Amino acid sequence: MSEEVATLRKGLRLLLLINQYDGLTAGEAATHLDLNRTTTYRLLETMVDTGHIARDPYDHRYRATARAERLSLPDGEAEGWHADAIRPVLAGLGQRIAWPLSIATLDGDAIRIVHETDSDSALVTRRMPSGTRLPLLDTAAGLLFTAHASPDRRGELLARARSSLLTQPMNAGATLSELCDQIASDGYALVRQPASGTYVLAVPMIVDGAMTASLSVRIIERAMTAMSAIAAYLPLLREGADAIASAIRTPPADRVAGASARR
C-alpha cells in the first residue's frame, strides 16, 4: 500500500470518528487511531486547512464542518443556508471589502458560520469555514443575537451561554445587559480577538422584522483602528445585509427572472 493511500485511509477514518463521537480532541483522536500525537495533529490540521473540520475554541474538540457534511448528500442537495440568494451578494461585497466576510446563524446556545469568503480573501489569518461553531458570548454575531432577543429570550440565552473569553467587547467595562442594550441601540457589534490580533465587526440581517443572521468582517487590528474600521466598513456591511435580506425574501423564480432582465 502506498504512503498516499495509507494517509487517505487514516484521514477518512479520522473523519468517521469525529462524526461518530461529535468531535474529538487531538489526544482522543490519537488514541482511537493508535497514532502518535504529531502524526494525528498533522492529519487534523490538514483537514482544517481543507475546510472539512474545525477546532472548537471552547472545548478544543475538532468537529466536522458543513463542507464535510455535504459529502454525504445527493447531488443537488449540497446547497447551504439560502445559498442561491446569498452567494452573488456576498461575492460582490467581497470585491469591495478585501477582508474575510462571514454569515452566521444562532445554533442553540452557540453561533454557527453558514457562509464565508475565507477561501477568496488573501487577508485570512485563520480560516473559519462554514460549519464552524463558536461560543455565543465570544462572537460579535452572538452578542448581536442576544441584544436583539426579547427580554425573556435574552435572559435564557445569557443563562445558557458559555464564554471561553477569546474575545473582548470594545466597551468591556459594561455589564452584559448594558452591553446588549448598547449593541441594540448602535445596530452593530464590535469585538477584539486578542489571540488572532483581529477585530470582528458584525451587523444584523433583519428578515420580516426579526434578526435571522449576522454579517461580519474580520480585520487585522494592526492594519487600522477600531474606529477606522467602523467608518470604512459599517455602511458597506449594512448595505450588504439589507441586500441579502431582500434576496432571501424574493422567491427563487423572481431572482432568476431579475438576473435575466439585468443581463
Side-chain angles (χ1 to χ4, degrees), residues 131-242:
T132 300
R133 198 168 183 268
L134 298 166
L136 187 79
L137 300 182
D138 278 353
T139 61
L143 291 172
L144 270 175
F145 270 106
T146 307
H148 282 76
S150 66
D152 288 345
R153 177 61 171 155
R154 181 190 289 188
E156 178 185 340
L157 286 173
L158 292 177
R160 291 165 44 195
R162 301 172 298 178
S163 172
S164 53
L165 302 178
L166 295 179
T167 60
Q168 299 173 351
M170 300 312 293
N171 47 344
T175 66
L176 275 174
S177 180
E178 292 170 340
L179 178 61
C180 288
D181 288 342
Q182 186 63 53
I183 289 172
S185 175
D186 293 340
Y188 68 87
L190 178 70
V191 300
R192 177 175 175 265
Q193 298 179 318
S196 60
T198 57
Y199 296 118
V200 180
L201 175 64
V203 299
M205 191 182 303
I206 307 298
V207 179
D208 296 331
M211 181 175 172
T212 303
S214 72
L215 175 61
S216 305
V217 60
R218 302 198 310 278
I219 305 158
I220 298 174
E221 61 179 318
R222 67 174 180 269
M224 61 175 60
T225 66
M227 293 303 101
S228 296
I230 291 172
Y233 302 120
L234 183 58
L236 293 176
L237 286 179
R238 285 175 167 161
E239 179 184 327
D242 288 345

Side-chain angles (χ1 to χ4, degrees), residues 7-251:
T7 301
L8 176 60
R9 287 189 173 184
K10 291 172 185 175
L12 292 173
R13 185 176 173 218
L14 177 57
L15 187 57
L16 180 64
L17 287 167
I18 286 173
N19 280 318
Q20 180 180 347
Y21 289 95
D22 187 28
L24 293 172
T25 65
E28 291 169 342
T31 299
H32 283 290
L33 293 172
D34 194 24
L35 294 173
N36 62 62
R37 288 179 67 98
T38 300
T39 301
T40 303
Y41 185 75
R42 187 164 61 246
L43 280 171
L44 288 165
E45 287 304 302
T46 297
M47 294 173 73
V48 168
D49 289 341
T50 62
H52 291 91
I53 65 173
R55 185 174 181 269
D56 189 322
Y58 179 77
D59 61 10
H60 311 300
R61 302 176 79 82
Y62 291 85
R63 291 186 171 88
T65 66
R67 175 171 291 182
E69 292 167 359
R70 285 197 295 267
L71 294 175
S72 63
L73 295 177
D75 291 343
E77 293 184 17
E79 293 299 296
W81 189 83
H82 295 288
D84 58 336
I86 289 173
R87 188 182 294 112
V89 179
L90 202 58
L93 187 60
Q95 292 176 354
R96 301 171 69 188
I97 300 178
W99 301 103
L101 303 165
S102 62
I103 293 175
T105 59
L106 191 62
D107 183 8
D109 57 358
I111 289 297
R112 184 179 294 275
I113 296 174
V114 294
H115 288 283
E116 36 78 18
T117 65
D118 284 21
S119 58
D120 300 319
S121 173
L123 302 176
V124 174
T125 57
R126 174 72 172 178
R127 287 205 65 211
M128 302 289 284
S130 297
T132 300
R133 198 168 183 268
L134 298 166
L136 187 79
L137 300 182
D138 278 353
T139 61
L143 291 172
L144 270 175
F145 270 106
T146 307
H148 282 76
S150 66
D152 288 345
R153 177 61 171 155
R154 181 190 289 188
E156 178 185 340
L157 286 173
L158 292 177
R160 291 165 44 195
R162 301 172 298 178
S163 172
S164 53
L165 302 178
L166 295 179
T167 60
Q168 299 173 351
M170 300 312 293
N171 47 344
T175 66
L176 275 174
S177 180
E178 292 170 340
L179 178 61
C180 288
D181 288 342
Q182 186 63 53
I183 289 172
S185 175
D186 293 340
Y188 68 87
L190 178 70
V191 300
R192 177 175 175 265
Q193 298 179 318
S196 60
T198 57
Y199 296 118
V200 180
L201 175 64
V203 299
M205 191 182 303
I206 307 298
V207 179
D208 296 331
M211 181 175 172
T212 303
S214 72
L215 175 61
S216 305
V217 60
R218 302 198 310 278
I219 305 158
I220 298 174
E221 61 179 318
R222 67 174 180 269
M224 61 175 60
T225 66
M227 293 303 101
S228 296
I230 291 172
Y233 302 120
L234 183 58
L236 293 176
L237 286 179
R238 285 175 167 161
E239 179 184 327
D242 288 345
I244 291 171
S246 177
I248 289 173
R249 284 191 293 264
T250 304

